[in-house]
Amino acid sequence: MTPTPPPDLRLDSLRRWLGGHADRLGLVLDSLVPVSGDASFRRYFRLHAANGTLIAMDAPPPHEDCAPFVRIAGLLARGGLRVPGILAQDLDQGFLLLSDLGDRTFYQALRDGLDQDEAALQRHYRGALRALVALQQCPADGLPPYDEARLLEELAVFPQWYLRTHLGHTPDASAEAALANIFDLLARRAAAQPRVLVHRDFHSPNLMLGPDTADSAPGVIDFQDALDGPISYDIASLAMDARTTWDEARQLDWAIRYWEYARAAGLPVPEDFASFHVDYEWMGLQRNLRILGVFARLSHRDGKHHYLDHIPRVLTYVRQVAGRYAVFHPLLRLLDQAGRVPRADGYSF
């Protein structure tokens, strides 16, 4: 006999809250269906309303706080970005009712073959680059700093969760020292960059496909963790996408186009692209080392094993950058050594 699933008390509360707005917005409560969750505790649902569809966000306190989402949504909207409009909110309960930007992310469109149409791909990604420049022109005043201490602290997940837990490898004292030096170099270079508003996950799952026009502007979502940080962070997120593989030629093309757009807009990128290229690659290495640790943690601690599917791609990005700069070669040796450790469960990446 199949056991009865436990009641979803949060969903019951969400339905009651939506009921209080049903008449004003013409909500069809019976149409509520899950859209997705993410790596956090947040959940999203779509439902029909008088003028189309809307998105309900469930962000349960004390795990999540809707206030940053509300604040940054307003900030980005005033900057001209396409972000969800907030039609109703209850910050104490952790509920938001949002306008619906559509059901096709860049990630979904790529899986459906967007990358097979080079002209359409470029239209949408150039629109994303322009949106990034607009985002970086929004004021970051009052946002938490993405400073050297934070950049360094978040790298700790790499040895803890990727090396030790996922690969079963404990670095020796020499490797630990080399890794600490690399972490310090990455954090210091990133922290020395000019600071702007940083989305932190400006990549294909968080960009909604806009109209296929010359000035196509994507919808931007999942921005609630924005920080005041390094200017190269978000272009590294986009070009070295943890969910979609881009070769070096593509990465370079988009990095150059972003740099040109940013300079034209007066953003504080270096005058010399070669200098910016090093900034962006080192920033990408910091981000991707952290992602290896985060994806391993999501699998081993939280049971979200599908994140392991993306580890080979992220590891390729790590090796790409580490192989280009001699100062990172100890990291390559460590990865080679760790990858040779036999595991009973068959993981080898």
Side-chain angles (χ1 to χ4, degrees):
M1 198 173 158
T2 304
T4 303
D8 190 335
L9 301 180
R10 287 289 304 176
L11 183 56
D12 293 341
S13 296
L14 177 63
R15 288 182 184 278
R16 287 193 296 272
W17 179 74
L18 290 170
H21 300 282
D23 290 343
R24 177 172 67 90
L25 297 171
L27 303 182
V28 182
L29 299 179
D30 289 345
S31 68
L32 191 72
V33 294
V35 176
S36 68
D38 55 26
S40 71
F41 291 91
R42 288 183 297 272
R43 296 188 297 177
Y44 300 89
F45 301 86
R46 179 173 279 113
L47 74 163
H48 292 283
N51 297 314
T53 58
L54 300 176
I55 298 293
M57 179 197 291
D58 169 25
H63 302 293
E64 302 289 341
D65 180 5
C66 288
F69 184 98
V70 172
R71 178 189 171 198
I72 297 167
L75 192 68
L76 299 184
R78 290 190 293 274
L81 284 97
R82 288 183 58 229
V83 295
I86 299 171
L87 306 178
Q89 59 182 284
D90 186 329
L91 301 186
D92 291 334
Q93 289 197 79
F95 297 144
L96 296 177
L97 186 60
L98 310 170
S99 61
D100 190 353
L101 298 184
D103 58 3
R104 290 193 80 204
T105 64
F106 277 34
Y107 179 63
Q108 291 162 332
L110 288 164
R111 296 179 74 181
D112 292 340
L114 176 62
D115 56 335
Q116 302 305 305
D117 183 340
E118 182 65 21
L121 179 73
Q122 290 291 355
R123 283 193 295 273
H124 287 293
Y125 267 84
R126 291 177 193 181
L129 295 174
R130 289 189 292 269
L132 175 55
V133 168
L135 179 145
Q136 292 179 329
Q137 292 176 284
C138 295
D141 302 342
L143 293 181
Y146 206 6
D147 55 17
E148 183 176 343
R150 183 161 186 165
L151 288 157
L152 193 58
E153 178 184 7
E154 66 184 17
L155 284 166
V157 295
F158 172 72
Q160 178 184 356
W161 287 98
Y162 180 68
L163 292 179
R164 295 189 180 94
T165 302
H166 184 63
L167 294 182
H169 178 73
T170 299
D172 60 25
S174 175
E176 286 272 18
L179 202 56
N181 180 61
I182 288 169
F183 288 177
D184 185 62
L185 289 172
L186 291 172
R188 281 194 285 115
R189 178 149 192 149
Q193 294 181 30
R195 280 162 56 165
V196 293
L197 191 150
V198 174
H199 181 291
R200 292 196 76 207
D201 278 312
F202 195 87
H203 60 168
S204 59
N206 293 329
L207 298 172
M208 307 301 298
L209 211 66
D212 190 9
T213 59
D215 58 351
S216 178
V220 180
I221 61 173
D222 202 26
F223 42 71
Q224 62 279 340
D225 295 325
L227 298 172
D228 178 13
I231 194 168
S232 72
Y233 192 94
D234 282 334
I235 183 59
S237 302
L238 186 69
M240 298 183 190
D241 193 323
R243 308 294 182 85
T244 303
T245 301
W246 299 120
D247 61 29
E248 287 195 60
R250 181 82 72 191
Q251 295 169 35
L252 187 61
D253 174 49
W254 287 337
I256 291 172
R257 290 186 185 279
Y258 159 78
W259 175 75
E260 290 172 341
Y261 292 161
R263 289 186 70 204
L267 286 170
V269 291
E271 289 293 317
D272 178 16
F273 176 75
S275 177
F276 178 73
H277 186 243
V278 177
D279 281 345
Y280 130 84
E281 285 207 307
W282 285 37
M283 189 75 263
L285 180 58
Q286 188 276 348
R287 172 177 165 82
N288 286 314
L289 288 172
R290 178 180 67 85
I291 288 174
L292 287 175
V294 169
F295 283 3
R297 183 174 65 190
L298 284 166
S299 172
H300 294 278
R301 187 190 69 183
D302 302 333
K304 298 180 179 182
H305 303 302
H306 62 282
Y307 283 95
L308 296 183
D309 296 341
H310 304 296
I311 280 185
R313 174 184 305 109
V314 178
L315 191 58
T316 297
Y317 291 141
V318 166
R319 287 184 172 276
Q320 169 192 311
V321 176
R324 200 184 322 278
Y325 303 93
V327 71
F328 301 137
H329 289 178
L331 173 61
L332 291 180
R333 291 192 291 271
L334 174 60
L335 290 170
D336 289 342
Q337 184 179 11
R340 289 196 296 267
V341 176
R343 287 181 57 98
D345 56 15
Y347 290 126
S348 59
F349 48 77

